[in-house]
């Protein structure tokens, strides 16, 4: 699965290492390899685990469902400093938004990557999602 | 007025470039139609019944003469020579070609305008009192707040994919001309006990298929906390608003279903977290930034003038038409010797809110010469010249007459709000513009309209209520029943600070029964009012709906055709609905509003 970063696609074979929230809360594995959460997760439940979690991936079931953006902002507001990934149906036009909300990277599937290749993402990577705020 | 600096300019130019790229990527298949749609909508481009429609933002309804000239140019070059001013202080072009849209957006950017977020599930164009900066009753100018919100909400990375659209309105006057209680968030500028400026924050109002009056979520919000607080409201809404049903996705439903107290607690908790954040993107609403924006809205250089003018008095005495126009279309200005002129874009029998390129140019020219270059668009779909010298009124009237813009009907029965309806809108279930035209034609006698006095009729072509029929003194909602248009009438709505949702009167009326029905209501009012000073709404509030319902559904008519011509039936006292009317009412229950 391609991971989109500011410098382009990175191919990492780590997806099966991600723990589910239930598995982590029931002590069923080491979250150091990463945790995957749904976009309706209450981030307050995760606060005690922030130090132990190596990566949090927030799933985007559909690009039009913007909950993940607010969840990312909440995780950052609650003090999460680790790696944060948007995973699923995120389109290239949303990359600057994801970055501005606190995500470090985006994970998409092969089909989407074929439709929206690396240069589409690089073209917007440096664009501020919110130029009017750049002034403040 | 606000003027774009290099940041604004870069932002709108980037948006044009990204829209160009989105169109190309849609054509290449990189974007699916589903993915392209919200991107297109967030750039103001709708797919309508016959063609694309481009909705251009007029932030808080303020524009200058060069901007109005540019709109005229766009109407002529890329549309059919006219534009339509909307109830949200926008202008719509109904016939642009998709391939021309990027060029139109460039032309808008050239005069500091855009079409960003005039559609889609995002924060929409922020509206404000159209008399801002001129109104005699104003506590504080709402435009700096609205401009700050425009900048904050435009391209906000977190709130571009909300459960549903989100509308914000601001007023700085106790007389609410911005309908703040019918918005997702309404802001009223107030002072606290210590005299400090801030906002009363109202949440969860809205019209549409589930009309609700907004509730106060925060009695007093200090000015500096505005963005952090609104960000908290939006975040709570983005996370918890319903996404399973688009008709239940507005924040009013969340507030209703989760209860105001719960939402308030969530918002306050989020607000505290935000304020505690070290460097959140939103917290920094610095005094310097506020001052920078406020400076753009400093009062223009008014002359020191006596309030009355001999020439004006002479013209008033000499010219009856001028006198009628001054009576209806002029209100007091905060500055001595100035007046606020409202130009009616509702000439009798024309589509409400439509203006031709020639009329736009005439308005730009009159504003340049007589209104310090400023114009406003009101949510009643009229154009305001905010700063006209009293002494110039006769000349302004003469210029408006030449441009066919001198209709003296502001606030009267022929000053009708109507949505585009079946003539343009893909969602419409009935015509709405032709109904407005028929009513205006029926009451076209200026003497009769003046006798009737203040009366707002608002018409929507489907339950989405873009014509604000719920808050019309008389509201008309066009539905479709078995392939035939059926018009429901609501009574007693109010769009001001005493907001009220109109009450449904009873069974619907066929298209050609609407004018007679309105006539019966008007006749009932004229017969029932204490004197000419009691308005329709006041009479309705004093007596309740019963006598008006009786007039609408006299027993001998029974809700079916009342016949054309002849004398209209007069109001009768209290007959109950006829059997056939009751049957018809039952058949209408599928359209019952959810009044919770
Ligand atoms: S009320 Fe209905 S018909 Fe009228 S503009 Fe809105 S969606 Fe279209």
């Amino acid at each position: 699965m391609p991971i989109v970063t500011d410098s382009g696609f990175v191919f990492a074979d780590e997806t099966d290492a991600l723990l589910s929230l239930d598995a982590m809360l029931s002590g069923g594995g080491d979250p150091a390899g990463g945790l995957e959460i749904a976009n309706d997760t209450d981030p307050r439940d995760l606060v005690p685990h922030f130090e132990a979690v190596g990566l949090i991936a927030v799933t985007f079931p559909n690009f039009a469902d913007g909950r993940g953006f607010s969840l990312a902002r909440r995780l950052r507001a609650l003090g999460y400093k680790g790696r944060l990934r948007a995973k699923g149906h995120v389109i290239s036009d949303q990359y600057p938004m994801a970055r501005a909300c606190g995500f470090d990277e985006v994970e998409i599937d092969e089909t989407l990557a074929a439709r929206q290749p690396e240069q589409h993402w690089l073209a917007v990577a440096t664009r501020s999602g919110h130029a009017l705020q750049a002034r403040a | 007025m606000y003027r774009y600096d290099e940041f604004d300019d870069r932002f709108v130019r980037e948006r044009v470039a990204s829209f160009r790229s989105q169109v190309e990527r849609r054509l290449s298949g990189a974007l699916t139609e589903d993915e392209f749609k919200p991107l297109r909508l967030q750039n103001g481009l709708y797919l309508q019944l016959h063609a694309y429609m481009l909705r251009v933002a007029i932030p808080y309804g303020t524009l200058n003469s060069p901007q109005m000239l540019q709109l005229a140019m766009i109407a002529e070059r890329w549309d059919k020579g006219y534009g339509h001013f909307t109830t949200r202080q926008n202008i719509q072009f109904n016939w642009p070609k998709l391939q021309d849209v990027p060029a139109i957006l460039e032309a808008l950017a050239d005069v500091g305008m855009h079409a960003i977020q005039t559609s889609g599930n995002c924060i929409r164009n922020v509206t404000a009192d159209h008399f801002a900066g001129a109104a005699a009753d104003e506590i504080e100018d709402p435009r700096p707040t609205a401009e700050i919100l425009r900048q904050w909400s435009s391209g906000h990375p977190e709130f571009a994919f909300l459960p549903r659209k989100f509308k914000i309105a601001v007023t700085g006057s106790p007389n609410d001309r911005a309908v703040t209680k019918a918005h997702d968030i309404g802001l009223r500028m107030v002072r606290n006990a210590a005299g400090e400026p801030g906002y009363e924050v109202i949440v969860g109002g809205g019209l549409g298929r589930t009309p609700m009056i907004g509730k106060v979520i925060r009695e007093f919000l200090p000015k500096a906390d505005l963005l952090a607080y609104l960000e908290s409201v939006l975040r709570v809404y983005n996370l918890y608003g319903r996404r399973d049903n688009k008709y239940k996705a507005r924040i009013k439903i969340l507030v209703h279903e989760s209860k105001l107290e719960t939402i308030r607690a969530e918002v306050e908790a989020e607000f505290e977290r935000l304020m505690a954040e070290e460097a959140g993107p939103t917290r920094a609403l610095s005094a310097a930034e506020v001052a920078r924006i406020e400076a753009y809205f400093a009062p223009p250089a008014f002359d020191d003038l006596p309030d009355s003018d001999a020439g004006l008095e002479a013209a008033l005495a000499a010219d009856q038409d001028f006198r009628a126009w001054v009576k209806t279309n002029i209100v007091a200005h905060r500055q001595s010797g100035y007046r606020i002129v409202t130009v009616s874009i509702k000439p009798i029998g024309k589509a409400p809110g439509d203006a031709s390129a020639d009329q736009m140019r005439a308005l730009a020219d009159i504003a340049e010469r007589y209104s310090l270059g400023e114009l406003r668009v009101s949510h009643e779909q009229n154009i305001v010249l905010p700063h006209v010298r009293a002494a110039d009124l006769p000349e302004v009237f003469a210029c408006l007459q030449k441009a066919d813009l001198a209709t003296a009907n502001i606030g009267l029965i022929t000053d009708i709000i109507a949505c585009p309806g079946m003539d343009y809108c893909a969602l419409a279930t009935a015509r709405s513009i032709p109904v407005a035209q028929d009513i205006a034609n029926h009451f076209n006698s200026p003497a009769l309209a003046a006798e009737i006095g203040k009366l707002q009729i608002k018409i929507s072509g489907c339950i989405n209520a873009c014509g604000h029929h719920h808050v019309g003194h008389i509201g008309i909602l066009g539905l479709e029943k078995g392939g035939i248009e059926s018009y429901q009438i609501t009574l007693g709505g109010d769009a001001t600070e005493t907001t009220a949702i109109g009450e449904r009167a009873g069974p619907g009326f066929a298209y050609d029964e609407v004018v007679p029905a309105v006539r019966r209501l008007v006749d009932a009012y004229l017969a029932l009012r204490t004197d000419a000073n009691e308005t329709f709404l006041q009479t309705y509030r004093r007596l309740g709906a019963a006598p008006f319902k009786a007039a609408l559904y006299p027993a001998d008519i029974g809700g079916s055709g009342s016949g054309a011509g002849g004398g209209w039936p007069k109001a009768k006292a209290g007959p109950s609905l006829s059997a056939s009317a009751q049957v018809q009412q039952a058949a209408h229950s599928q359209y019952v509003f959810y009044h919770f």
Side-chain angles (χ1 to χ4, degrees):
Chain A
M1 298 287 186
I3 313 284
V4 190
T5 69
D6 288 357
S7 48
F9 284 6
V10 177
F11 293 85
D13 189 27
E14 56 173 22
T15 39
D16 36 30
L18 296 181
L19 268 188
S20 75
L21 182 61
D22 283 350
M24 185 188 77
L25 293 179
S26 59
D30 180 7
L35 172 72
E36 180 173 311
I37 58 172
N39 65 5
D40 59 355
T41 304
D42 188 336
R44 287 167 279 204
D45 296 345
L46 303 183
V47 175
H49 308 278
F50 277 173
E51 293 299 322
V53 174
L55 160 77
I56 297 178
V58 177
T59 55
F60 278 68
N62 182 296
F63 81 106
D65 182 342
R67 277 179 284 190
F69 297 118
S70 282
L71 182 51
R73 281 288 286 115
R74 257 195 171 171
L75 284 165
R76 293 303 190 199
L78 288 166
Y80 178 66
K81 301 244 168 25
R83 200 141 60 100
L84 194 55
R85 177 185 296 172
K87 177 182 177 180
H89 190 187
V90 177
I91 61 177
S92 64
D93 297 278
Q94 292 175 314
Y95 184 78
M97 304 176 195
R99 292 286 285 119
C101 288
F103 285 109
D104 298 301
E105 58 196 29
V106 173
E107 179 181 336
I108 54 175
D109 66 24
E110 303 288 353
T111 333
L112 184 60
R115 202 154 47 78
Q116 302 183 354
E118 188 177 35
Q119 70 266 25
H120 289 192
W121 299 78
L122 284 173
V124 294
T126 53
R127 186 177 291 161
S128 159
H130 197 177
L132 292 177
Q133 271 197 356
R135 179 194 296 121
Chain B
M1 259 189 79
Y2 187 71
R3 279 181 208 282
Y4 277 16
D5 62 10
E6 75 267 31
F7 292 96
D8 299 288
D9 190 60
R10 197 171 69 215
F11 175 70
V12 297
R13 304 272 176 199
E14 271 188 16
R15 281 289 289 239
V16 177
S18 59
F19 185 62
R20 263 187 214 281
S21 146
Q22 284 155 1
V23 172
E24 282 162 20
R25 282 180 285 133
R26 171 67 201 112
L27 295 174
S28 78
L31 286 166
T32 65
E33 187 55 34
D34 273 358
E35 290 167 347
F36 178 61
K37 189 178 169 193
L39 305 176
R40 154 168 77 70
L41 290 175
Q42 298 213 5
N43 285 294
L45 195 62
Y46 267 85
L47 194 53
Q48 288 279 60
L49 207 51
H50 310 292
Y52 280 105
M53 176 271 277
L54 183 69
R55 183 183 290 157
V56 175
I58 300 175
Y60 37 94
T62 298
L63 72 172
N64 59 27
S65 292
Q67 290 172 328
M68 187 64 113
L69 286 175
Q70 192 78 334
L71 294 177
M73 188 279 283
I74 289 169
E76 220 145 54
R77 177 151 175 210
W78 289 296
D79 203 293
K80 293 187 176 178
Y82 64 95
H84 177 79
F85 291 100
T86 77
T87 55
R88 290 212 78 254
Q89 301 180 313
N90 296 309
I91 182 168
Q92 296 181 179
F93 293 108
N94 283 310
W95 308 97
K97 292 198 191 65
L98 180 59
Q99 65 268 30
D100 291 337
V101 171
I104 300 175
L105 296 178
E106 289 283 3
L108 289 169
D110 289 344
V111 290
M113 295 183 79
H114 61 69
I116 297 165
Q117 290 172 213
T118 53
S119 180
N121 294 335
C122 52
I123 303 170
R124 300 289 188 86
N125 183 28
V126 176
T127 55
D129 184 349
H130 45 266
F131 292 163
D137 63 344
E138 189 167 276
I139 299 171
E140 198 177 335
D141 191 336
R143 290 172 302 164
T145 296
E147 174 57 27
I148 287 167
L149 292 178
R150 183 190 73 83
Q151 297 191 17
W152 165 75
S153 62
S154 297
H156 196 295
E158 189 180 342
F159 305 129
F161 295 90
L162 296 170
R164 199 79 176 84
K165 60 188 165 186
F166 202 94
K167 300 176 180 177
I168 303 175
V170 196
T171 181
S173 292
N175 296 303
D176 184 0
R177 288 173 289 263
V179 211
T180 54
K181 285 183 179 159
H183 282 77
D184 296 282
I185 286 181
L187 296 171
R188 291 184 51 232
M189 307 188 83
V190 292
R191 300 276 146 104
N192 67 4
E196 293 152 349
Y199 307 96
E200 178 187 84
V201 185
I202 298 161
V203 73
L207 300 174
R209 54 184 73 204
T210 315
M212 290 197 193
I213 294 174
K215 301 169 185 72
V216 176
I217 186 166
R218 182 67 114 82
E219 305 240 329
F220 184 80
L221 179 72
K223 260 183 132 175
D225 297 345
L226 177 67
L227 295 187
Y229 191 83
L230 290 204
E231 181 155 324
S232 306
V233 175
L234 264 299
R235 184 166 302 153
V236 166
Y237 169 56
N238 195 28
L239 287 166
Y240 301 118
R242 286 180 62 170
R243 290 174 187 266
D244 59 324
N245 178 343
K246 74 180 256 201
Y247 300 119
K248 296 190 184 293
R250 295 287 288 273
I251 195 174
K252 62 188 173 187
I253 304 292
L254 177 67
V255 170
H256 173 72
E257 289 182 348
S258 307
K259 299 288 168 276
L260 180 65
E261 291 65 41
T262 315
I263 299 301
R264 180 183 287 136
E266 281 286 344
V267 168
E268 291 292 339
E270 192 66 44
F271 177 63
E272 256 173 53
R273 270 196 294 277
L274 256 175
M275 296 302 277
E277 245 183 348
E278 289 151 29
T282 294
R283 270 206 44 213
L285 182 53
S286 67
E289 177 62 7
V290 173
R292 186 184 76 82
I293 305 259
E294 279 177 348
Y296 285 106
F297 298 96
F302 292 120
D303 290 325
D304 220 351
L305 297 168
D307 200 48
S308 64
D309 177 82
L312 170 64
E313 296 306 324
L316 282 171
D319 182 345
Q320 194 187 335
D321 291 344
F322 178 62
R323 199 159 58 233
W325 178 77
V326 167
K327 183 157 182 263
T328 50
N329 294 38
I330 309 298
V331 297
H333 197 285
R334 62 194 314 168
Q335 177 75 23
S336 166
Y338 285 81
R339 301 289 186 275
I340 304 172
V341 174
T342 304
V343 179
S344 173
I345 309 294
K346 323 269 179 72
I348 308 294
K350 298 280 172 52
D354 273 5
S356 68
D358 284 341
Q359 289 177 324
M360 288 185 228
R361 271 192 291 267
L363 286 165
D365 176 55
I366 295 168
E368 192 60 47
R369 280 155 59 199
Y370 301 107
S371 180
L372 304 174
E374 254 195 67
L375 303 119
R376 310 283 173 77
V377 181
S378 77
H379 72 86
E380 288 105 350
Q381 303 176 284
N382 291 312
I383 301 291
V384 175
L385 302 168
H387 310 301
V388 178
R389 289 159 171 251
D392 289 338
L393 287 174
E395 274 175 58
V396 168
F397 181 64
C399 294
L400 290 171
Q401 276 181 316
K402 272 192 221 129
D404 199 14
L405 286 166
T407 312
N409 65 346
I410 297 302
L412 301 183
I413 189 166
T414 53
D415 182 9
I416 299 168
I417 291 185
C419 79
M422 197 67 101
D423 293 73
Y424 298 103
C425 178
L427 303 172
T429 43
R431 286 170 288 176
S432 99
I433 290 171
V435 176
Q437 290 169 327
D438 289 351
I439 294 172
N441 279 326
H442 181 85
F443 293 97
N444 70 357
S445 145
L448 175 59
E451 173 68 20
I452 297 164
K454 297 260 174 242
L455 177 50
Q456 288 175 354
I457 297 181
K458 302 185 194 247
I459 308 172
S460 302
C462 82
I463 53 177
N464 289 317
C466 304
H468 299 179
H469 66 275
H470 298 295
V471 290
H473 302 160
I474 297 175
I476 300 175
L477 165 62
L479 297 167
E480 181 251 299
K481 215 181 107 202
I484 298 166
E485 289 159 312
S486 172
Y487 291 86
Q488 247 174 33
I489 290 186
T490 51
L491 297 170
D494 178 0
T496 70
E497 62 283 359
T498 45
T499 314
I501 305 287
E503 185 188 335
R504 211 182 107 188
F509 294 87
Y511 179 85
D512 51 10
E513 290 173 353
V514 174
V515 170
V518 171
R519 180 68 197 224
R520 290 199 296 280
L521 284 172
V522 168
D523 284 343
Y525 153 66
L526 291 174
L528 292 165
R529 69 182 180 186
T530 50
D531 58 48
N533 290 324
E534 191 181 61
T535 64
F536 179 90
L537 192 61
Q538 286 166 338
T539 306
Y540 180 86
R541 287 193 170 155
R542 179 169 58 82
L543 296 174
F548 292 97
K549 287 189 189 175
L552 266 183
Y553 304 102
D556 53 337
I557 288 178
S560 66
S562 58
W568 303 109
K570 276 284 178 191
K572 285 184 196 151
S576 59
L577 292 182
S578 69
S580 75
Q582 283 170 9
V583 169
Q584 205 173 342
Q585 189 170 37
H588 270 255
S589 57
Q590 59 179 306
Y591 297 120
V592 158
F593 294 125
Y594 303 99
H595 274 284
F596 30 64

